[in-house]
Amino acid sequence: AVYPDPHVAGGVARLAPAFLAAENLRGTPIAERRLHVSLFGVRVPQDLPHDLVAAARRAAGRIAMPPFAVAFNAVGGFGGGNPSQRPLVLYGDEGAVGFAMLQERLLAAMGRKANPHYTPHMTIAYGDALPTRRFVEAVTWTVRSFALVHSLVGKSRHVLLDKFPLRD
């Protein structure tokens, strides 16, 4: 996962309820500390296998990529699911290309093929989702690192396992 800079996360945490209210949507904003952009996920049991963590650390440690700028400039719904619990997300179009490049390199380091359906996004709330994208003032920051995270599904909790700097 990639976590935004703290000041960016704070701004996004304020944006979500304001956007929900302005669009007359019901929803629950994501907590500031959990705002992130997923790169790749693996479903595992609650007891995280040590060999999987070690392999992920090795792969992440091999990534060579310079820091990159991000610009998320639209908000919209994402995916299907329960109509009252749909993700409301920030998108970035060309401003999110760096995430696709980072994901491609991470998957290659893990011996996997790139995911052609990967859509970089940051979920900001769950609830009523917009049917179409709306442009917003761009949320920008420079990505300087990425993290290995154990997401405790259903518990709204992320456990940071390791962090990796971006470098040439």
Side-chain angles (χ1 to χ4, degrees):
V2 171
Y3 288 91
D5 295 339
H7 72 280
V8 172
V12 171
R14 289 186 298 278
L15 167 76
F19 188 83
L20 289 167
E23 294 291 331
N24 199 27
L25 298 170
R26 291 177 310 234
T28 304
I30 300 294
E32 182 176 332
R33 70 185 183 286
R34 290 185 48 238
L35 292 168
H36 69 281
V37 178
S38 295
L39 296 169
F40 177 66
V42 177
R43 291 231 182 252
V44 296
Q46 289 293 85
D47 294 330
L48 198 56
H50 294 290
D51 58 335
L52 180 61
V53 173
R57 278 190 173 113
R58 282 191 304 275
R62 291 193 296 265
I63 303 300
M65 182 173 167
F68 59 91
V70 174
F72 283 139
N73 63 346
V75 176
F78 192 75
N82 182 336
S84 66
Q85 288 298 307
R86 290 191 175 129
L88 183 67
V89 304
L90 284 172
Y91 292 98
D93 301 321
E94 294 85 20
V97 170
F99 289 117
M101 292 171 57
L102 179 54
Q103 188 212 47
E104 185 176 316
R105 290 176 188 193
L106 182 59
L107 290 174
M110 296 174 71
R112 297 175 181 249
K113 291 185 179 182
N115 177 357
H117 305 291
Y118 175 63
T119 303
H121 66 279
M122 180 187 298
T123 302
I124 62 171
Y126 284 98
D128 298 338
L130 290 171
T132 58
R133 291 184 188 191
R134 305 269 200 284
F135 288 101
V136 296
E137 184 176 335
V139 173
T140 63
W141 81 95
T142 299
V143 174
R144 299 184 192 288
S145 65
F146 63 102
L148 176 60
V149 177
H150 183 197
S151 178
L152 301 174
V153 178
K155 296 185 180 180
S156 298
R157 192 165 152 236
H158 294 167
V159 177
L160 178 65
L161 301 176
D162 214 337
K163 197 169 181 181
F164 304 89
L166 291 179
R167 56 187 164 52
D168 287 326

